[in-house]
Amino acid sequence: MKKFLTLITVICLFSTVKVNACTNFLITKGASADGSTMISYAADSHVLYGELYHYQAADYPEGAMRDLYDWDSGRYLGQIPEVSHTYNVVGNMNEWQLAIGETTYGGLECLWGGKGLMDYGTLIYISLQRCKTAREAIRNIAELTAQHGYISEGESFSIADTEEVWIMEVIGKGKFGKGMVWVARRIPDGYVSGHANQARIQTFPLKGKNVLTSKDFDKFMTNKKIDCIYAEDVISFAKANNLYVGKDEDFSFSDVYAPVDFSGARGCDLRVWAMFNKVADGMDAYWDYATGRDIKRAKPYVKGQPQTVENFPSNRMPLWVLPKEKVSVRDMMNFMRDHLEGTELDMSLDLGAGPFHCPYRWRPMDFEVDGQAYCHERTTATQQTGFSFVTQSNSQNIPGMGGIIWFGVDDAASTVYCPMYTTMTEIPLCFREGNGSMMEYSETAAFWIFNQVSNFAYTKYDYIHPEIAEKQDYYEEMWIKETAAFRNKFTEIYDSEGEKGVMKNLMQYSNSAATNLCADWKMFYRYLFVKYMDGNVKTVQKKPEGYKYYAPKVEQPKYSDEFYKAIIEQTGDKLKVY
């Protein structure tokens, strides 16, 4: 997701490393600890403001039209007919517990800039307003773009309802035609998947009792055994426009429409590897691929040449893996906080981490030394996140309860994921759209409140971040227990007060959680600033009897030994004590 003013920054093309934003992890019902389906998402952009979008359910008269604006730039595009009724949407999840996330992978530049009205962001939020299930959303996305055209770059969509989780990958037709080509695959129940700005669907079944093409959407909606559906022309379009030469059964969506290179592996798929490595065995086999050090091809990929199976890497990661243990919502939150800890690329261990092991690098990510190109890592957790979330869709929820979008602003490693119920009709002030902006500070906006803490933590990470982690544990574990217990509590409310009573109580709960969190986080920043300012660590001392004044205990933490050694390697004898 990029939203207004982020068109340039979300897809950054450096001389060596392509750095895209956003990370999605997908958890099926059978793979989750409580039977929920879950998707996670980080909207990463240096100019994206973190706020919780809301679309109120509404009714429209016959003939009503909907104005469309490009999600990235705000440019007016035109109108399409409105439907008679739209659903309540909170963030990227609606009242029916349908959730949609995305990552932009770009793909072949010749397929960018198509004509039409539909961009990726508009597709997401229109689908959330109009659809109840993942299958309805897939159909809606395909039909809207077929009718009105598609103008964005290549996108991977995560689409989940209470029963199923799908990945749908799309790319436009550029100057070659209207609309887009696409493939959608259901993640097998019990498995997990992920995507992070590199197209992930490779070969896919073309025939079989569980496979359909876009001409059979009616069957797709009624036959729940279908686990793959694709645009009827997804292969013929590539062949007709000299993008692929070979057998249909060898066709790989990702390798034809978004060929992976060093940056696609190292800057993108490595984030998926990091999550897979936490939940599944055998991921060491994909380390050389994920780091971009060895992308095995029978023949080199040549930009602008039609692709064949010989150009496709043979060591790419699987689209999904079977987790060793069930994944909890707290696991999902922590997946979003990864800095490649436990690997040789751990962001806290090299000199760039500074004397207090800060696992972040300021942009640009690529640099050159003595004519050799290098890059910093693009990890899942990153400082420029506008907002991130984990959705939780559960079929056991009672009517009116909706699902939960666990929402946080700023850096995922420093945020707290707050439970927002998707039936709520009023967004808490701290998350509300229009409360501040990227260039307008607001004392009541969670985005600015959390940025104060995280940016201060970057200055003395070893000391400050553990205190942040303690508060994350406190809030998230408390809320997870409370929301799990609500299913019983709200059954009683539903029986006595009906659906409206449940909605009222849930909205009060979400608003109270967000308001109290932000008030506490303000006080937390004041506490941290007092304790750690000027490079000191101060703690309160008991006032000695008979003293009018007394000072706190003050410690001055040393730099790490590695950092002292690096200073001397650079300065020689200049700082030597004689």
Side-chain angles (χ1 to χ4, degrees), residues 1-13 19-22 41 43-51 53 70-75 102 104 119-121 153 155 384-387 438 447:
M1 179 175 302
K2 295 163 272 187
K3 208 175 180 187
F4 308 118
L5 305 179
T6 63
L7 185 59
I8 296 174
T9 58
V10 167
I11 296 182
C12 307
L13 299 175
V19 186
N20 292 328
C22 310
Y41 175 72
D44 301 333
S45 167
H46 294 271
V47 292
L48 176 65
Y49 187 69
E51 53 194 356
Y53 311 135
D70 180 69
W71 188 254
D72 292 334
S73 66
R75 176 173 60 93
E102 61 77 36
T104 301
D119 67 277
Y120 78 101
E153 299 166 16
E155 287 283 336
Q384 74 268 20
T385 301
F387 65 83
M438 185 53 74
F447 180 80

mmCIF file of all heavy atoms in Angstrom, residues 1-13 19-22 41 43-51 53 70-75 102 104 119-121 153 155 384-387 438 447:
data_model
loop_
_atom_site.group_PDB
_atom_site.id
_atom_site.type_symbol
_atom_site.label_atom_id
_atom_site.label_comp_id
_atom_site.label_asym_id
_atom_site.label_seq_id
_atom_site.Cartn_x
_atom_site.Cartn_y
_atom_site.Cartn_z
ATOM 1 N N MET A 1 0.830 -1.186 0.000
ATOM 2 C CA MET A 1 0.000 0.000 0.000
ATOM 3 C C MET A 1 0.869 1.241 0.000
ATOM 4 O O MET A 1 1.881 1.305 0.653
ATOM 5 C CB MET A 1 -0.883 0.026 1.239
ATOM 6 C CG MET A 1 -1.744 1.238 1.322
ATOM 7 S SD MET A 1 -2.837 1.118 2.719
ATOM 8 C CE MET A 1 -3.676 -0.407 2.323
ATOM 9 N N LYS A 2 0.459 2.232 -0.755
ATOM 10 C CA LYS A 2 1.284 3.421 -0.869
ATOM 11 C C LYS A 2 0.530 4.673 -0.470
ATOM 12 O O LYS A 2 1.029 5.502 0.236
ATOM 13 C CB LYS A 2 1.808 3.528 -2.309
ATOM 14 C CG LYS A 2 2.749 2.374 -2.634
ATOM 15 C CD LYS A 2 2.962 2.198 -4.113
ATOM 16 C CE LYS A 2 1.926 1.295 -4.714
ATOM 17 N NZ LYS A 2 2.148 0.938 -6.103
ATOM 18 N N LYS A 3 -0.661 4.824 -0.898
ATOM 19 C CA LYS A 3 -1.539 5.965 -0.665
ATOM 20 C C LYS A 3 -0.834 7.291 -0.885
ATOM 21 O O LYS A 3 0.359 7.399 -0.884
ATOM 22 C CB LYS A 3 -2.224 5.928 0.691
ATOM 23 C CG LYS A 3 -3.549 6.664 0.618
ATOM 24 C CD LYS A 3 -4.370 6.573 1.895
ATOM 25 C CE LYS A 3 -5.659 7.332 1.697
ATOM 26 N NZ LYS A 3 -6.422 7.435 2.915
ATOM 27 N N PHE A 4 -1.586 8.362 -0.956
ATOM 28 C CA PHE A 4 -1.197 9.661 -1.453
ATOM 29 C C PHE A 4 0.235 10.073 -1.146
ATOM 30 O O PHE A 4 0.717 9.938 -0.048
ATOM 31 C CB PHE A 4 -2.150 10.718 -0.895
ATOM 32 C CG PHE A 4 -3.590 10.364 -1.123
ATOM 33 C CD1 PHE A 4 -4.424 10.158 -0.056
ATOM 34 C CD2 PHE A 4 -4.084 10.206 -2.398
ATOM 35 C CE1 PHE A 4 -5.761 9.820 -0.252
ATOM 36 C CE2 PHE A 4 -5.408 9.866 -2.594
ATOM 37 C CZ PHE A 4 -6.252 9.667 -1.525
ATOM 38 N N LEU A 5 0.889 10.600 -2.148
ATOM 39 C CA LEU A 5 2.230 11.181 -2.073
ATOM 40 C C LEU A 5 3.335 10.145 -1.934
ATOM 41 O O LEU A 5 4.470 10.506 -1.676
ATOM 42 C CB LEU A 5 2.336 12.184 -0.906
ATOM 43 C CG LEU A 5 1.309 13.318 -0.893
ATOM 44 C CD1 LEU A 5 1.539 14.200 0.321
ATOM 45 C CD2 LEU A 5 1.378 14.149 -2.163
ATOM 46 N N THR A 6 3.025 8.868 -2.164
ATOM 47 C CA THR A 6 4.061 7.863 -1.958
ATOM 48 C C THR A 6 4.461 7.149 -3.245
ATOM 49 O O THR A 6 5.178 6.174 -3.214
ATOM 50 C CB THR A 6 3.591 6.814 -0.943
ATOM 51 O OG1 THR A 6 2.461 6.128 -1.479
ATOM 52 C CG2 THR A 6 3.223 7.452 0.365
ATOM 53 N N LEU A 7 4.014 7.635 -4.372
ATOM 54 C CA LEU A 7 4.254 6.939 -5.626
ATOM 55 C C LEU A 7 5.738 6.735 -5.886
ATOM 56 O O LEU A 7 6.169 5.688 -6.334
ATOM 57 C CB LEU A 7 3.625 7.728 -6.775
ATOM 58 C CG LEU A 7 3.678 7.087 -8.165
ATOM 59 C CD1 LEU A 7 2.967 5.745 -8.141
ATOM 60 C CD2 LEU A 7 3.068 7.999 -9.194
ATOM 61 N N ILE A 8 6.543 7.743 -5.573
ATOM 62 C CA ILE A 8 7.967 7.645 -5.859
ATOM 63 C C ILE A 8 8.666 6.743 -4.865
ATOM 64 O O ILE A 8 9.531 5.953 -5.214
ATOM 65 C CB ILE A 8 8.613 9.050 -5.835
ATOM 66 C CG1 ILE A 8 8.025 9.905 -6.964
ATOM 67 C CG2 ILE A 8 10.119 8.961 -5.973
ATOM 68 C CD1 ILE A 8 8.498 11.343 -6.938
ATOM 69 N N THR A 9 8.265 6.828 -3.595
ATOM 70 C CA THR A 9 9.044 6.153 -2.565
ATOM 71 C C THR A 9 8.697 4.700 -2.362
ATOM 72 O O THR A 9 9.507 3.945 -1.857
ATOM 73 C CB THR A 9 8.865 6.873 -1.219
ATOM 74 O OG1 THR A 9 7.484 6.894 -0.897
ATOM 75 C CG2 THR A 9 9.406 8.266 -1.273
ATOM 76 N N VAL A 10 7.480 4.296 -2.715
ATOM 77 C CA VAL A 10 7.120 2.917 -2.427
ATOM 78 C C VAL A 10 7.864 1.957 -3.335
ATOM 79 O O VAL A 10 8.242 0.884 -2.934
ATOM 80 C CB VAL A 10 5.611 2.719 -2.559
ATOM 81 C CG1 VAL A 10 5.253 1.259 -2.575
ATOM 82 C CG2 VAL A 10 4.935 3.382 -1.381
ATOM 83 N N ILE A 11 8.098 2.330 -4.584
ATOM 84 C CA ILE A 11 8.917 1.488 -5.438
ATOM 85 C C ILE A 11 10.164 2.281 -5.763
ATOM 86 O O ILE A 11 10.190 3.129 -6.640
ATOM 87 C CB ILE A 11 8.163 1.091 -6.710
ATOM 88 C CG1 ILE A 11 6.954 0.248 -6.328
ATOM 89 C CG2 ILE A 11 9.063 0.327 -7.639
ATOM 90 C CD1 ILE A 11 6.167 -0.236 -7.501
ATOM 91 N N CYS A 12 11.194 2.056 -4.975
ATOM 92 C CA CYS A 12 12.438 2.798 -5.092
ATOM 93 C C CYS A 12 13.400 1.984 -5.936
ATOM 94 O O CYS A 12 13.719 0.862 -5.604
ATOM 95 C CB CYS A 12 13.047 3.049 -3.714
ATOM 96 S SG CYS A 12 11.903 3.823 -2.569
ATOM 97 N N LEU A 13 13.858 2.529 -7.020
ATOM 98 C CA LEU A 13 14.789 1.825 -7.875
ATOM 99 C C LEU A 13 16.169 2.439 -7.707
ATOM 100 O O LEU A 13 16.472 3.494 -8.249
ATOM 101 C CB LEU A 13 14.331 1.922 -9.335
ATOM 102 C CG LEU A 13 12.959 1.294 -9.614
ATOM 103 C CD1 LEU A 13 12.562 1.546 -11.053
ATOM 104 C CD2 LEU A 13 12.980 -0.179 -9.323
ATOM 105 N N VAL A 19 14.067 -1.663 -3.889
ATOM 106 C CA VAL A 19 13.531 -1.788 -2.544
ATOM 107 C C VAL A 19 12.058 -1.422 -2.552
ATOM 108 O O VAL A 19 11.697 -0.265 -2.679
ATOM 109 C CB VAL A 19 14.290 -0.872 -1.561
ATOM 110 C CG1 VAL A 19 13.797 -1.136 -0.153
ATOM 111 C CG2 VAL A 19 15.778 -1.118 -1.651
ATOM 112 N N ASN A 20 11.194 -2.401 -2.438
ATOM 113 C CA ASN A 20 9.764 -2.158 -2.386
ATOM 114 C C ASN A 20 9.264 -2.252 -0.963
ATOM 115 O O ASN A 20 9.950 -2.736 -0.077
ATOM 116 C CB ASN A 20 9.041 -3.186 -3.258
ATOM 117 C CG ASN A 20 9.326 -2.988 -4.728
ATOM 118 O OD1 ASN A 20 9.520 -1.876 -5.173
ATOM 119 N ND2 ASN A 20 9.370 -4.066 -5.481
ATOM 120 N N ALA A 21 8.062 -1.782 -0.762
ATOM 121 C CA ALA A 21 7.497 -1.748 0.582
ATOM 122 C C ALA A 21 6.490 -2.871 0.770
ATOM 123 O O ALA A 21 6.008 -3.438 -0.190
ATOM 124 C CB ALA A 21 6.835 -0.399 0.802
ATOM 125 N N CYS A 22 6.172 -3.167 2.011
ATOM 126 C CA CYS A 22 5.076 -4.047 2.417
ATOM 127 C C CYS A 22 5.487 -5.515 2.546
ATOM 128 O O CYS A 22 6.270 -6.024 1.760
ATOM 129 C CB CYS A 22 3.875 -3.950 1.485
ATOM 130 S SG CYS A 22 3.343 -2.254 1.182
ATOM 131 N N TYR A 41 0.239 -7.503 7.585
ATOM 132 C CA TYR A 41 0.562 -6.520 6.543
ATOM 133 C C TYR A 41 1.307 -5.350 7.162
ATOM 134 O O TYR A 41 0.960 -4.892 8.256
ATOM 135 C CB TYR A 41 -0.738 -6.022 5.909
ATOM 136 C CG TYR A 41 -0.579 -4.918 4.890
ATOM 137 C CD1 TYR A 41 -0.036 -5.183 3.642
ATOM 138 C CD2 TYR A 41 -0.982 -3.614 5.168
ATOM 139 C CE1 TYR A 41 0.102 -4.177 2.698
ATOM 140 C CE2 TYR A 41 -0.844 -2.607 4.225
ATOM 141 C CZ TYR A 41 -0.304 -2.888 2.990
ATOM 142 O OH TYR A 41 -0.164 -1.911 2.062
ATOM 143 N N ALA A 43 2.504 -1.533 5.886
ATOM 144 C CA ALA A 43 2.479 -0.499 4.853
ATOM 145 C C ALA A 43 3.685 0.395 5.064
ATOM 146 O O ALA A 43 3.685 1.260 5.928
ATOM 147 C CB ALA A 43 1.185 0.309 4.942
ATOM 148 N N ASP A 44 4.727 0.140 4.287
ATOM 149 C CA ASP A 44 6.030 0.754 4.535
ATOM 150 C C ASP A 44 6.330 1.824 3.502
ATOM 151 O O ASP A 44 6.523 1.522 2.325
ATOM 152 C CB ASP A 44 7.135 -0.304 4.491
ATOM 153 C CG ASP A 44 6.926 -1.409 5.508
ATOM 154 O OD1 ASP A 44 6.282 -1.139 6.533
ATOM 155 O OD2 ASP A 44 7.405 -2.524 5.269
ATOM 156 N N SER A 45 6.386 3.040 3.944
ATOM 157 C CA SER A 45 6.745 4.150 3.074
ATOM 158 C C SER A 45 7.218 5.301 3.930
ATOM 159 O O SER A 45 6.664 5.561 4.999
ATOM 160 C CB SER A 45 5.551 4.602 2.233
ATOM 161 O OG SER A 45 5.823 5.849 1.631
ATOM 162 N N HIS A 46 8.220 5.998 3.464
ATOM 163 C CA HIS A 46 8.783 7.104 4.234
ATOM 164 C C HIS A 46 7.835 8.291 4.333
ATOM 165 O O HIS A 46 8.058 9.190 5.151
ATOM 166 C CB HIS A 46 10.107 7.545 3.614
ATOM 167 C CG HIS A 46 11.175 6.501 3.707
ATOM 168 N ND1 HIS A 46 12.024 6.393 4.781
ATOM 169 C CD2 HIS A 46 11.507 5.487 2.862
ATOM 170 C CE1 HIS A 46 12.852 5.377 4.598
ATOM 171 N NE2 HIS A 46 12.555 4.814 3.440
ATOM 172 N N VAL A 47 6.792 8.319 3.518
ATOM 173 C CA VAL A 47 5.855 9.442 3.583
ATOM 174 C C VAL A 47 4.410 8.980 3.771
ATOM 175 O O VAL A 47 3.482 9.738 3.524
ATOM 176 C CB VAL A 47 5.960 10.346 2.335
ATOM 177 C CG1 VAL A 47 7.294 11.066 2.320
ATOM 178 C CG2 VAL A 47 5.776 9.556 1.045
ATOM 179 N N LEU A 48 4.219 7.741 4.199
ATOM 180 C CA LEU A 48 2.865 7.261 4.477
ATOM 181 C C LEU A 48 2.519 7.510 5.934
ATOM 182 O O LEU A 48 3.217 7.052 6.838
ATOM 183 C CB LEU A 48 2.744 5.766 4.172
ATOM 184 C CG LEU A 48 1.392 5.152 4.515
ATOM 185 C CD1 LEU A 48 0.290 5.743 3.640
ATOM 186 C CD2 LEU A 48 1.431 3.638 4.353
ATOM 187 N N TYR A 49 1.433 8.203 6.165
ATOM 188 C CA TYR A 49 0.974 8.518 7.517
ATOM 189 C C TYR A 49 0.119 7.374 8.042
ATOM 190 O O TYR A 49 -0.773 6.873 7.357
ATOM 191 C CB TYR A 49 0.165 9.816 7.487
ATOM 192 C CG TYR A 49 -0.226 10.338 8.849
ATOM 193 C CD1 TYR A 49 0.739 10.840 9.717
ATOM 194 C CD2 TYR A 49 -1.555 10.332 9.259
ATOM 195 C CE1 TYR A 49 0.387 11.328 10.965
ATOM 196 C CE2 TYR A 49 -1.920 10.830 10.502
ATOM 197 C CZ TYR A 49 -0.944 11.326 11.353
ATOM 198 O OH TYR A 49 -1.289 11.807 12.591
ATOM 199 N N GLY A 50 0.370 6.967 9.277
ATOM 200 C CA GLY A 50 -0.347 5.843 9.858
ATOM 201 C C GLY A 50 -1.682 6.245 10.451
ATOM 202 O O GLY A 50 -1.735 6.986 11.446
ATOM 203 N N GLU A 51 -2.760 5.758 9.857
ATOM 204 C CA GLU A 51 -4.110 6.012 10.352
ATOM 205 C C GLU A 51 -4.998 4.842 9.955
ATOM 206 O O GLU A 51 -4.659 4.061 9.060
ATOM 207 C CB GLU A 51 -4.660 7.335 9.793
ATOM 208 C CG GLU A 51 -4.600 7.444 8.290
ATOM 209 C CD GLU A 51 -4.821 8.859 7.779
ATOM 210 O OE1 GLU A 51 -5.103 9.767 8.579
ATOM 211 O OE2 GLU A 51 -4.709 9.063 6.551
ATOM 212 N N TYR A 53 -8.182 3.513 8.301
ATOM 213 C CA TYR A 53 -9.224 3.898 7.349
ATOM 214 C C TYR A 53 -10.582 3.311 7.760
ATOM 215 O O TYR A 53 -10.657 2.215 8.309
ATOM 216 C CB TYR A 53 -8.863 3.417 5.940
ATOM 217 C CG TYR A 53 -7.452 3.753 5.521
ATOM 218 C CD1 TYR A 53 -6.633 2.814 4.907
ATOM 219 C CD2 TYR A 53 -6.919 5.023 5.758
ATOM 220 C CE1 TYR A 53 -5.339 3.116 4.529
ATOM 221 C CE2 TYR A 53 -5.625 5.333 5.382
ATOM 222 C CZ TYR A 53 -4.833 4.379 4.773
ATOM 223 O OH TYR A 53 -3.550 4.682 4.402
ATOM 224 N N ASP A 70 -7.067 7.836 -7.830
ATOM 225 C CA ASP A 70 -5.896 6.986 -7.746
ATOM 226 C C ASP A 70 -5.396 6.929 -6.311
ATOM 227 O O ASP A 70 -5.204 7.969 -5.663
ATOM 228 C CB ASP A 70 -4.792 7.513 -8.664
ATOM 229 C CG ASP A 70 -3.554 6.651 -8.608
ATOM 230 O OD1 ASP A 70 -3.597 5.518 -9.094
ATOM 231 O OD2 ASP A 70 -2.536 7.120 -8.055
ATOM 232 N N TRP A 71 -5.168 5.732 -5.802
ATOM 233 C CA TRP A 71 -4.805 5.550 -4.405
ATOM 234 C C TRP A 71 -3.461 6.189 -4.068
ATOM 235 O O TRP A 71 -3.247 6.672 -2.971
ATOM 236 C CB TRP A 71 -4.785 4.063 -4.077
ATOM 237 C CG TRP A 71 -4.615 3.779 -2.629
ATOM 238 C CD1 TRP A 71 -3.501 3.322 -2.006
ATOM 239 C CD2 TRP A 71 -5.597 3.960 -1.604
ATOM 240 N NE1 TRP A 71 -3.724 3.193 -0.653
ATOM 241 C CE2 TRP A 71 -5.014 3.580 -0.387
ATOM 242 C CE3 TRP A 71 -6.926 4.398 -1.600
ATOM 243 C CZ2 TRP A 71 -5.702 3.629 0.823
ATOM 244 C CZ3 TRP A 71 -7.603 4.434 -0.399
ATOM 245 C CH2 TRP A 71 -6.990 4.057 0.793
ATOM 246 N N ASP A 72 -2.547 6.198 -5.013
ATOM 247 C CA ASP A 72 -1.221 6.747 -4.748
ATOM 248 C C ASP A 72 -1.187 8.266 -4.797
ATOM 249 O O ASP A 72 -0.632 8.917 -3.922
ATOM 250 C CB ASP A 72 -0.211 6.211 -5.767
ATOM 251 C CG ASP A 72 0.034 4.731 -5.599
ATOM 252 O OD1 ASP A 72 -0.156 4.229 -4.483
ATOM 253 O OD2 ASP A 72 0.416 4.082 -6.589
ATOM 254 N N SER A 73 -1.761 8.819 -5.836
ATOM 255 C CA SER A 73 -1.589 10.250 -6.089
ATOM 256 C C SER A 73 -2.798 11.102 -5.733
ATOM 257 O O SER A 73 -2.674 12.319 -5.605
ATOM 258 C CB SER A 73 -1.261 10.464 -7.571
ATOM 259 O OG SER A 73 -2.378 10.096 -8.379
ATOM 260 N N GLY A 74 -3.970 10.490 -5.598
ATOM 261 C CA GLY A 74 -5.187 11.257 -5.358
ATOM 262 C C GLY A 74 -5.785 11.837 -6.625
ATOM 263 O O GLY A 74 -6.762 12.587 -6.568
ATOM 264 N N ARG A 75 -5.231 11.481 -7.785
ATOM 265 C CA ARG A 75 -5.719 12.007 -9.060
ATOM 266 C C ARG A 75 -7.101 11.444 -9.372
ATOM 267 O O ARG A 75 -7.342 10.242 -9.250
ATOM 268 C CB ARG A 75 -4.721 11.647 -10.161
ATOM 269 C CG ARG A 75 -5.145 12.061 -11.575
ATOM 270 C CD ARG A 75 -4.014 11.806 -12.550
ATOM 271 N NE ARG A 75 -3.643 10.391 -12.598
ATOM 272 C CZ ARG A 75 -4.150 9.517 -13.460
ATOM 273 N NH1 ARG A 75 -5.087 9.891 -14.330
ATOM 274 N NH2 ARG A 75 -3.733 8.261 -13.466
ATOM 275 N N GLU A 102 -1.799 -6.536 0.628
ATOM 276 C CA GLU A 102 -1.116 -6.533 -0.664
ATOM 277 C C GLU A 102 0.363 -6.230 -0.510
ATOM 278 O O GLU A 102 0.791 -5.673 0.497
ATOM 279 C CB GLU A 102 -1.739 -5.510 -1.613
ATOM 280 C CG GLU A 102 -1.687 -4.062 -1.146
ATOM 281 C CD GLU A 102 -0.338 -3.380 -1.308
ATOM 282 O OE1 GLU A 102 0.371 -3.653 -2.297
ATOM 283 O OE2 GLU A 102 0.013 -2.572 -0.436
ATOM 284 N N THR A 104 3.357 -4.781 -3.490
ATOM 285 C CA THR A 104 3.626 -4.412 -4.875
ATOM 286 C C THR A 104 4.923 -5.067 -5.337
ATOM 287 O O THR A 104 5.956 -4.891 -4.703
ATOM 288 C CB THR A 104 3.760 -2.888 -5.014
ATOM 289 O OG1 THR A 104 2.564 -2.262 -4.572
ATOM 290 C CG2 THR A 104 4.032 -2.488 -6.460
ATOM 291 N N ASP A 119 -7.089 1.079 -9.822
ATOM 292 C CA ASP A 119 -5.748 0.869 -9.290
ATOM 293 C C ASP A 119 -5.851 -0.123 -8.134
ATOM 294 O O ASP A 119 -6.940 -0.460 -7.668
ATOM 295 C CB ASP A 119 -5.129 2.185 -8.827
ATOM 296 C CG ASP A 119 -5.857 2.756 -7.633
ATOM 297 O OD1 ASP A 119 -6.895 3.434 -7.817
ATOM 298 O OD2 ASP A 119 -5.413 2.499 -6.500
ATOM 299 N N TYR A 120 -4.699 -0.570 -7.651
ATOM 300 C CA TYR A 120 -4.697 -1.648 -6.660
ATOM 301 C C TYR A 120 -5.416 -1.262 -5.364
ATOM 302 O O TYR A 120 -6.136 -2.071 -4.770
ATOM 303 C CB TYR A 120 -3.252 -2.070 -6.352
ATOM 304 C CG TYR A 120 -2.546 -1.114 -5.428
ATOM 305 C CD1 TYR A 120 -2.398 -1.412 -4.078
ATOM 306 C CD2 TYR A 120 -2.077 0.110 -5.883
ATOM 307 C CE1 TYR A 120 -1.788 -0.524 -3.217
ATOM 308 C CE2 TYR A 120 -1.471 0.996 -5.036
ATOM 309 C CZ TYR A 120 -1.320 0.682 -3.696
ATOM 310 O OH TYR A 120 -0.731 1.573 -2.852
ATOM 311 N N GLY A 121 -5.230 -0.034 -4.877
ATOM 312 C CA GLY A 121 -5.859 0.379 -3.628
ATOM 313 C C GLY A 121 -7.363 0.469 -3.752
ATOM 314 O O GLY A 121 -8.112 0.048 -2.862
ATOM 315 N N GLU A 153 0.875 -1.316 -11.121
ATOM 316 C CA GLU A 153 1.901 -2.292 -11.466
ATOM 317 C C GLU A 153 1.485 -3.673 -10.955
ATOM 318 O O GLU A 153 0.358 -3.880 -10.511
ATOM 319 C CB GLU A 153 3.227 -1.849 -10.859
ATOM 320 C CG GLU A 153 3.689 -0.501 -11.368
ATOM 321 C CD GLU A 153 4.798 0.089 -10.525
ATOM 322 O OE1 GLU A 153 5.407 -0.652 -9.736
ATOM 323 O OE2 GLU A 153 5.052 1.299 -10.645
ATOM 324 N N GLU A 155 0.845 -6.728 -8.609
ATOM 325 C CA GLU A 155 0.462 -6.796 -7.205
ATOM 326 C C GLU A 155 0.221 -8.235 -6.775
ATOM 327 O O GLU A 155 -0.300 -9.052 -7.542
ATOM 328 C CB GLU A 155 -0.843 -6.019 -6.961
ATOM 329 C CG GLU A 155 -0.709 -4.518 -7.006
ATOM 330 C CD GLU A 155 -0.076 -3.946 -5.740
ATOM 331 O OE1 GLU A 155 -0.152 -4.596 -4.673
ATOM 332 O OE2 GLU A 155 0.483 -2.847 -5.832
ATOM 333 N N GLN A 384 10.351 2.958 8.532
ATOM 334 C CA GLN A 384 9.438 3.834 7.786
ATOM 335 C C GLN A 384 8.019 3.284 7.667
ATOM 336 O O GLN A 384 7.246 3.764 6.839
ATOM 337 C CB GLN A 384 9.986 4.108 6.379
ATOM 338 C CG GLN A 384 9.875 2.963 5.400
ATOM 339 C CD GLN A 384 11.100 2.084 5.372
ATOM 340 O OE1 GLN A 384 11.893 2.075 6.308
ATOM 341 N NE2 GLN A 384 11.278 1.338 4.296
ATOM 342 N N THR A 385 7.648 2.314 8.474
ATOM 343 C CA THR A 385 6.285 1.782 8.411
ATOM 344 C C THR A 385 5.269 2.850 8.821
ATOM 345 O O THR A 385 5.412 3.478 9.862
ATOM 346 C CB THR A 385 6.148 0.563 9.340
ATOM 347 O OG1 THR A 385 7.080 -0.431 8.930
ATOM 348 C CG2 THR A 385 4.744 -0.006 9.295
ATOM 349 N N GLY A 386 4.246 3.019 7.973
ATOM 350 C CA GLY A 386 3.157 3.922 8.342
ATOM 351 C C GLY A 386 2.226 3.246 9.324
ATOM 352 O O GLY A 386 1.904 3.775 10.379
ATOM 353 N N PHE A 387 1.768 2.055 8.955
ATOM 354 C CA PHE A 387 0.952 1.243 9.855
ATOM 355 C C PHE A 387 1.136 -0.218 9.484
ATOM 356 O O PHE A 387 1.597 -0.555 8.381
ATOM 357 C CB PHE A 387 -0.529 1.624 9.800
ATOM 358 C CG PHE A 387 -1.198 1.361 8.470
ATOM 359 C CD1 PHE A 387 -1.683 0.100 8.140
ATOM 360 C CD2 PHE A 387 -1.358 2.383 7.546
ATOM 361 C CE1 PHE A 387 -2.295 -0.139 6.924
ATOM 362 C CE2 PHE A 387 -1.968 2.160 6.319
ATOM 363 C CZ PHE A 387 -2.436 0.886 6.004
ATOM 364 N N MET A 438 1.559 13.573 7.641
ATOM 365 C CA MET A 438 3.008 13.402 7.638
ATOM 366 C C MET A 438 3.751 14.718 7.870
ATOM 367 O O MET A 438 4.877 14.723 8.379
ATOM 368 C CB MET A 438 3.455 12.768 6.315
ATOM 369 C CG MET A 438 4.928 12.427 6.255
ATOM 370 S SD MET A 438 5.514 11.399 7.636
ATOM 371 C CE MET A 438 4.818 9.811 7.199
ATOM 372 N N PHE A 447 0.254 7.938 15.628
ATOM 373 C CA PHE A 447 1.430 7.906 14.751
ATOM 374 C C PHE A 447 2.570 8.728 15.330
ATOM 375 O O PHE A 447 3.722 8.280 15.366
ATOM 376 C CB PHE A 447 1.053 8.424 13.359
ATOM 377 C CG PHE A 447 2.206 8.431 12.387
ATOM 378 C CD1 PHE A 447 2.595 7.267 11.748
ATOM 379 C CD2 PHE A 447 2.891 9.608 12.103
ATOM 380 C CE1 PHE A 447 3.648 7.275 10.840
ATOM 381 C CE2 PHE A 447 3.952 9.628 11.212
ATOM 382 C CZ PHE A 447 4.326 8.452 10.572
#
